[in-house]
Amino acid sequence: MNASLVDLSVVLVHYKQPQLLSRALASVRMQIPRAREIIVVDDGSGFCPELDIAIGASGCEVRLLRLRLCSGGPAIPRNQGLAAARGHYAAFLDADDVWLPGHLAALERAWQLDSGAIVHGDQLVWGPDLQRPFLQKGLATQASSAATYEALRQFGNKIFLSTVAGPRGVLSEASFDPWQRWEDFDLWL
């Protein structure tokens, strides 16, 4: 890895939200260092000229993969994008999410420490005492990972993982299960 380019493929899933896609692509374009490639997987949006306009206006070089039929969830398009990825690492971003400045720099630092690390970002927020994180939908974290896992299984997934990145080979091996209601949660666990 060098200071200007991370050997990373960004897999961005889109379904009928070209205005949000523009914002997501802009957040990827503003990253320093830059990603090796950006792959937009359109999940069967059908005729959507606004998609081509949004990609063209983004200033990003994008490979567009169009799925003929909507898969009904993000698992299949994410797997398709991952299969098409060329980077050593892969990162996922949904069309309605954005990366804050410094996101790829933080990933690069993590991989300099551990080249096999899988890194994720979620909607975890901190309480007023800044000692105990809690989740936006009200499920508090537990004292141990096993307790947290059991609470999430019992009460449902309240963690919204909006981005994950890691070695492409590891992520490809695990892949997203389209039969799981919470495919993100299933993969990350």
Side-chain angles (χ1 to χ4, degrees):
M1 287 180 272
N2 63 49
S4 63
L5 184 70
V6 178
D7 190 12
L8 172 118
S9 298
V10 178
V11 177
L12 206 156
V13 173
H14 168 267
Y15 178 70
K16 293 187 178 182
Q17 296 180 311
Q19 70 286 1
L20 295 177
L21 176 68
S22 294
R23 192 179 63 158
L25 285 170
S27 78
V28 174
R29 186 186 69 241
M30 300 305 292
Q31 297 297 312
I32 299 171
R34 293 193 177 261
R36 172 183 176 168
E37 67 176 347
I38 302 169
I39 302 168
V40 171
V41 183
D42 178 62
D43 190 19
S45 294
F47 181 70
C48 187
E50 297 88 0
L51 174 60
D52 295 321
I53 293 168
I55 290 172
S58 73
C60 298
E61 187 175 321
V62 172
R63 276 198 300 149
L64 176 60
L65 304 178
R66 292 184 190 262
L67 303 184
R68 293 181 65 203
L69 300 173
C70 178
S71 66
I76 290 172
R78 287 179 183 161
N79 289 337
Q80 292 289 320
L82 188 56
R86 298 178 190 138
H88 177 75
Y89 296 99
F92 298 93
L93 179 64
D94 291 339
D96 61 348
D97 292 328
V98 296
W99 285 345
L100 295 176
H103 181 75
L104 286 188
L107 291 178
E108 185 176 48
R109 284 192 304 275
W111 291 324
Q112 287 170 348
L113 295 172
D114 180 354
S115 63
I118 295 178
V119 184
H120 73 87
D122 56 30
Q123 296 181 24
L124 188 68
V125 295
W126 290 89
D129 62 3
L130 296 179
Q131 293 183 21
R132 182 178 169 89
F134 66 95
L135 304 174
Q136 284 186 329
K137 297 294 182 177
L139 178 65
T141 58
Q142 307 298 314
S144 73
S145 58
T148 300
Y149 175 79
E150 285 307 314
L152 290 169
R153 285 192 48 176
Q154 183 177 358
F155 300 113
N157 176 25
K158 303 276 195 259
I159 299 177
F160 298 92
L161 296 170
S162 59
T163 184
V164 71
R168 183 173 44 91
V170 173
L171 295 171
S172 295
E173 186 71 29
S175 75
F176 294 91
D177 185 349
W179 300 108
Q180 293 290 327
R181 179 168 179 217
W182 303 105
E183 73 286 329
D184 288 358
F185 186 57
D186 174 61
L187 174 65
W188 311 152
L189 289 178

